[in-house]
Amino acid sequence: MSARLTAREITLRYGDRVVSTRLSLDVPDGAFTAVVGPNACGKSTLLRAFVRLLRPDDGRVELDGREVGGYPSKALAKQLGFLPQDPVSPDDIKVRQLVARGRFPHQSLLTVWSAGEEDAVEEAMDAAGVSGLAGRPVRELSGGQRQRVWIAMVLAQRTPYLLLDEPTSFLDITHQYQLLALLARLRDQGRTVVAVLHDINQACRFADHLVAMRDGRVVAEGKPADIVDAALMKDVFDLPSVIVPDPVTGTPMVVPTLQGE
């Protein structure tokens, strides 16, 4: 697969703590990439570098061969839609107003809010299942409802890239699978999806490309069927397990074998 979004030997840090050193990764274009790994292994940090919320000490993050730091803010926001792990909404903002903020990269001082803009907002709310919440204050919603509103805002950007940090957080199992199926459909429509996921079985079921990280480095990457085995689970998660075919999809399914918990 070709790659328009790449990291080239980047070193990332927070203050004095180095998270990743000389990390390289090509994001397959038009694919659903799931990034998995234990807590604090650098998954979220990598996504933040891709959308230039964190500048590498060394190396480069590039989109179409151009360093992301060289893009004007709105130009980059038209390409990369990003959902952080803990988004914060303004006080008293309502659902439709928050989702509509996803259209801001497409606006200018001379732009008139059009029927097309409204269609993008309505389509995003419908896809995320929050149309019935449109007039509600975001602060009154449950954690799962808020998460779906934020997802709708990112969808409303209509970017070719979606980078989502733990998008299934706070969602019940039905909404988790509905969201992942939606992301797979967007992939099928030509979008590029990158999602940090904690559930390895969900990652194997929905993603074309899996990136397994530990201690700030990429341990393995490729098709889930090609790389997910008991050795990988031990190396990445310290988890003894057996791998069996998912009875529905045939994709790898991890069954832990921990005893005496």
Side-chain angles (χ1 to χ4, degrees):
M1 296 181 183
S2 61
R4 296 172 52 206
L5 183 63
T6 63
R8 292 280 179 258
E9 297 192 335
I10 57 175
T11 297
L12 303 171
R13 72 168 67 231
Y14 292 113
D16 294 331
R17 184 173 70 90
V18 176
V19 178
S20 294
T21 302
R22 299 179 67 84
L23 185 154
S24 293
L25 182 67
D26 292 342
V27 175
D29 203 41
F32 185 163
T33 295
V35 184
V36 301
N39 292 337
C41 72
K43 305 183 297 295
S44 298
T45 304
L46 175 61
L47 258 62
R48 289 173 62 84
F50 274 132
V51 297
R52 78 171 186 201
L53 291 177
L54 183 65
R55 185 180 297 274
D57 281 6
D58 295 300
R60 294 166 59 91
V61 175
E62 298 179 348
L63 176 63
D64 290 331
R66 180 180 177 184
E67 193 166 11
V68 293
Y71 281 81
S73 295
K74 280 194 172 184
L76 192 64
K78 289 178 181 178
Q79 296 293 318
L80 307 179
F82 177 57
L83 176 67
Q85 193 174 119
D86 296 303
V88 178
S89 61
D91 289 340
D92 298 323
I93 194 169
K94 294 184 178 180
V95 167
R96 185 186 297 276
Q97 293 171 320
L98 183 59
V99 176
R101 291 193 172 200
R103 300 303 302 162
F104 281 9
H106 304 274
Q107 303 296 302
S108 69
L109 292 175
L110 300 178
T111 301
V112 176
W113 188 264
S114 66
E117 305 292 340
E118 191 64 30
D119 287 346
V121 172
E122 293 292 339
E123 180 183 294
M125 289 196 299
D126 181 63
V130 296
S131 297
L133 305 174
R136 299 249 326 254
V138 175
R139 60 180 169 78
E140 295 181 0
L141 303 180
S142 70
Q145 288 172 326
R146 283 196 299 271
Q147 184 75 351
R148 287 187 284 133
V149 171
W150 282 108
I151 290 165
M153 191 196 76
V154 176
L155 294 177
Q157 277 183 250
R158 288 186 171 175
T159 53
Y161 285 82
L162 293 170
L163 292 90
L164 311 171
D165 193 355
E166 299 187 25
T168 56
S169 295
F170 305 110
L171 300 182
D172 60 52
I173 191 167
T174 299
H175 284 109
Q176 288 178 27
Y177 277 86
Q178 287 176 346
L179 171 61
L180 293 168
L182 169 63
L183 296 178
R185 289 196 300 273
L186 293 174
R187 178 270 321 275
D188 293 341
Q189 294 167 11
R191 311 276 281 277
T192 299
V193 177
V194 184
V196 170
L197 299 176
H198 276 300
D199 189 318
I200 185 70
N201 290 329
Q202 289 180 346
C204 289
R205 185 167 185 166
F206 288 97
D208 318 278
H209 189 74
L210 192 70
V211 176
M213 294 185 64
R214 179 161 184 170
D215 298 328
R217 60 189 177 87
V218 174
V219 176
E221 64 172 307
K223 295 180 180 179
D226 293 340
I227 67 170
V228 175
D229 56 22
L232 181 74
M233 296 306 298
K234 192 72 173 69
D235 289 346
V236 174
F237 295 99
D238 292 322
L239 181 70
S241 62
V242 294
I243 313 301
V244 298
D246 184 303
V248 174
T249 63
T251 52
M253 187 169 72
V254 177
V255 181
T257 57
L258 288 172
Q259 300 293 327
E261 296 181 54

